[in-house]
Amino acid sequence: MLKTHSLIEPQDLSVEEIDHLFALADDIKNRPQLYVNACAGKLMGTLFYEPSTRTRLSFESAMNRLGGRVVGFSDPASSSATKGETVADTARMVSAYADIIVMRHPWEGAPKVASLYSDIPVINAGDGGHNHPTQTLTDLYTFHTVFGRTCDLNIALCGDLKFGRTVHSLILAMSRYKNVSFSLISPKELRLPDYLLDFMKEKQIPYKEVEKIEDAIAECDVLYMTRIQQERFSDKDEYERLKDCYELDTEKMKLAKQDMIVMHPLPRVKEISTEVDYDPRAKYFRQARYGMFIRMALILELLEGGYQPKNTRLVPTERKCSNPRCICNHQDEPQQMLKIGEGVYRCLYCDHTEKD
Ligand code: NCD
């Protein structure tokens, strides 16, 4: 059984637990007939407050293939959110009906809030520009399946490193494996947030920041492409200016190693030319399929945690989180800027860090 009741950020799982999930996902992939009733009688609530194709369908396929059932919504306009119901109350309600919750929300920290008040496990399926831990499990499981390892990798992350939650979660997760280094390819406006650059420095993870794919493609084992996250831009002109800044094409692929792989959490816009799809090094569609198996393994393991009544009552901190995208600045959640060092504070919900 996993130590954690919910999966909110990648560090909620230990390296050993992730290895166990890989082994379980391998078994599910190889012997699916053994698992067709593994979740019979169990119900998953999918609460999607933000658009999704892959993640929602992947979770729903995973639960259906395990013999469980799914209830939920994919359009918040059809939920009580439009009546002003808070995430905390919705989570309390759904824990009265279902056995596990999968939540995607545009506000950072929303699934964390849900997990504080829900009596059943909550899986974060993406919260704003913050985290996306099950995409990270998908990515790690792809490394495991293709390379047979999750260590000794040079990973080039390309595109919107500022708002790309899949990139953020991947860096956090990879920090625990040996001999991992990063090339960060982005325009200056879309550089990785400072809290993650500080994190890499603290963990002594080698990285370089560059602006062109050509500056990193030759040495990488993985080229992880991402979309420019249109919905997170407050300045639409800036999006228009940056939206086509990268295109991986067959010419650039000639510079890459023969055994490197190209990954993408998808959806793709124009950052990978469709000609690249025919290159055997392109693994993004396969990656999406691996995601379903690792989510099946995760659901099975989290369901073991079962029903754990919560009675959370947080005392608000005086200091307030200044991240405008944090849930605590949209709903009446008690502020939680916790002191993590001398004059350093971090928000419990969204990880936004401030110094005196
Ligand atoms: C990603 C996401 O939602 O963050 N998609 C996904 O879950 N596979 C990437 C994206 O939307 O660009």
Side-chain angles (χ1 to χ4, degrees), residues 1-2 5 121 298-308:
M1 192 171 121
L2 302 173
H5 189 230
L298 177 70
I299 293 166
L300 274 173
E301 286 297 307
L302 281 179
L303 277 173
E304 297 228 331
Y307 189 84
Q308 293 182 13

Side-chain angles (χ1 to χ4, degrees), residues 54-55 104 132 135 165-166 227 229 231 265-267:
R54 240 154 317 278
T55 306
R104 169 170 288 193
H132 193 347
Q135 180 62 47
R165 57 191 172 198
T166 64
R227 159 182 84 87
Q229 305 279 303
E231 63 277 36
L266 303 174

Side-chain angles (χ1 to χ4, degrees), residues 158-159 185 211-214 217 223 225-226 228 242-253 268-276:
C158 175
I185 315 170
E211 286 189 46
K212 286 168 51 192
I213 293 179
E214 292 87 327
I217 193 168
L223 175 56
M225 299 296 295
T226 63
I228 308 297
L242 296 172
K243 67 177 184 187
D244 295 326
C245 57
Y246 294 111
E247 189 184 21
L248 179 67
D249 56 18
T250 46
E251 275 310 299
K252 293 189 193 85
M253 285 296 284
R268 142 176 74 183
V269 189
K270 286 191 188 154
E271 56 279 353
I272 303 180
S273 135
T274 52
E275 297 158 47
V276 177

Side-chain angles (χ1 to χ4, degrees), residues 59-202:
F59 270 112
E60 294 190 358
S61 310
M63 193 55 173
N64 279 300
R65 281 171 181 265
L66 292 168
R69 297 191 195 193
V70 183
V71 290
F73 56 84
S74 54
D75 174 8
S78 66
S79 80
S80 277
T82 50
K83 299 183 191 166
E85 185 168 56
T86 61
V87 164
D89 281 0
T90 305
R92 285 181 174 115
M93 281 319 306
V94 179
S95 30
Y97 309 141
D99 300 292
I100 190 163
I101 291 175
V102 179
M103 176 183 281
R104 169 170 288 193
H105 204 290
W107 297 334
E108 301 179 5
K112 174 73 186 184
V113 168
S115 73
L116 292 169
Y117 300 97
S118 158
D119 303 325
I120 57 175
V122 175
I123 300 178
N124 176 6
D127 59 329
H130 184 215
N131 266 318
H132 193 347
T134 66
Q135 180 62 47
T136 297
L137 282 179
T138 300
D139 300 339
L140 298 190
Y141 188 52
T142 305
F143 300 156
H144 162 83
T145 310
V146 176
F147 296 118
R149 64 177 199 275
T150 40
C151 55
D152 301 319
L153 292 170
N154 176 280
I155 304 173
L157 302 167
C158 175
D160 189 342
L161 308 189
K162 179 177 177 190
F163 296 121
R165 57 191 172 198
T166 64
V167 161
H168 303 166
S169 289
L170 185 57
I171 291 174
L172 294 173
M174 291 309 288
S175 69
R176 299 179 303 178
Y177 297 99
K178 270 200 314 217
N179 194 23
V180 171
S181 54
F182 289 98
S183 295
L184 308 172
I185 315 170
S186 76
K188 286 205 171 56
E189 295 85 339
L190 300 178
R191 284 178 62 210
L192 196 72
D194 282 341
Y195 84 91
L196 284 164
L197 293 172
D198 289 346
F199 173 82
M200 284 198 282
K201 280 180 207 141
E202 188 191 304

